[in-house]
Amino acid sequence: MNVTQVFLASTLYGTATLAAALDAGCLPPAGRRILLTSNHSPAPEVTPGLDSMPGFAALRTRFDEVLDWNAVVAPQHPSAWAPRPEDVPLWERQLRRLWGLGRDRVELVVESLQVPPAQSLCRLFPGAAIDVYADGLMSYGPTRFRIDPQIGMRVRRVLHLDLVPGLEPLLLTEFGVRGELVPAPAVLKVLTELADLAEPLGPSTGEGAGDGSGEEPPALLLGQYLSALDLMSPDEEEELHAAMVRGAYEWGHRDLVFKPHPSAPGAYARRAVAEAGRLGVRLRVLDAPVLAETLYQRLRPALVVGCFSTGLLTARALYGIPVARTGTGAVLGRLAPYQNSNRIPLTLVDALVPD
């Protein structure tokens, strides 16, 4: 029987993780591989999707076809839509016809199995084996919500990066699911491929903006757009960015680069720019929507600073770059509810990264 693997991805970094897993032979052979992209932004109709991001064209070569999940469930939002149980047979027949699956045996490779769209897709193919991949820190914690055993028992393994050496993922262990590492050399190879293809960094803004090309490598500051997650107010987030500037200055760095979250308003860098001007340090605010890992290779920063970004542990584990955190304890102290998906990343960064 022919096998078709369907890979669900919503971010460029997640797609890079899938590409590395395929390059390293972590997944069994298949007659056909479909990359199913999903845009989770609040207004996906007006937000560029994954397939328009710089470097995506290089990653899509690992797949036979790229399809759009948003188009399948429109006008519903992919993060909210779930099928009614009685409609599942109809949906499976429709997707098999729409995607040309015929009687192929389907295997699914998804992230964030606890919530749509991954859980919805797994419900629509009740006979499909499932592999879960994790490109961040959430997999190190237990499963946040009860998973239907009809889904959980079909999961074969959790593919993950070795961001905390020696620590095993707890995700889905209640179903006896084993963790499996995506080899770091394969991940670095794919990330290097993306960095080599990335466009030149866009123009900078900021008081005394530097280009990170001086004798001393710059410190890289990572924004996360935490106010969009209701973890802090916009004013508090601007102050957090200013605190990153002060912290890097206190560590002796005078050439700084700030990478905002791609979805964050440009105004969120204003206080950081003002603080850099007050301290007399050079600050560059990047306009280009690039991966942090691309900047690690392009800029070779001397320090990476953030709140609880996965990029902090990526920098240390994969690139050997020193890292520092800012504001992590305050966010962790008021995080609610207890099973908030950010609790494990916050806890790990708070415990493992110096302030």
Side-chain angles (χ1 to χ4, degrees), residues 137-216:
L137 301 174
M138 295 180 188
S139 65
Y140 289 109
T143 312
R144 290 184 292 126
F145 305 114
R146 180 184 179 276
I147 298 289
D148 185 339
Q150 294 186 30
I151 293 179
M153 294 299 292
R154 289 154 50 199
V155 180
R156 299 184 294 194
R157 57 195 163 166
V158 173
L159 296 165
H160 67 100
L161 308 182
D162 194 16
L163 299 181
V164 186
L167 188 62
E168 294 290 333
L170 292 177
L171 181 66
L172 298 170
T173 52
E174 67 270 30
F175 294 105
V177 177
R178 60 185 174 88
E180 182 175 321
L181 287 175
V182 179
V187 177
L188 287 171
K189 175 180 174 292
V190 172
L191 294 176
T192 299
E193 184 179 344
L194 289 178
D196 291 342
L197 293 172
E199 298 178 359
L201 298 180
S204 59
T205 61
E207 184 70 25
D211 60 5
S213 61
E215 292 183 2
E216 294 295 328

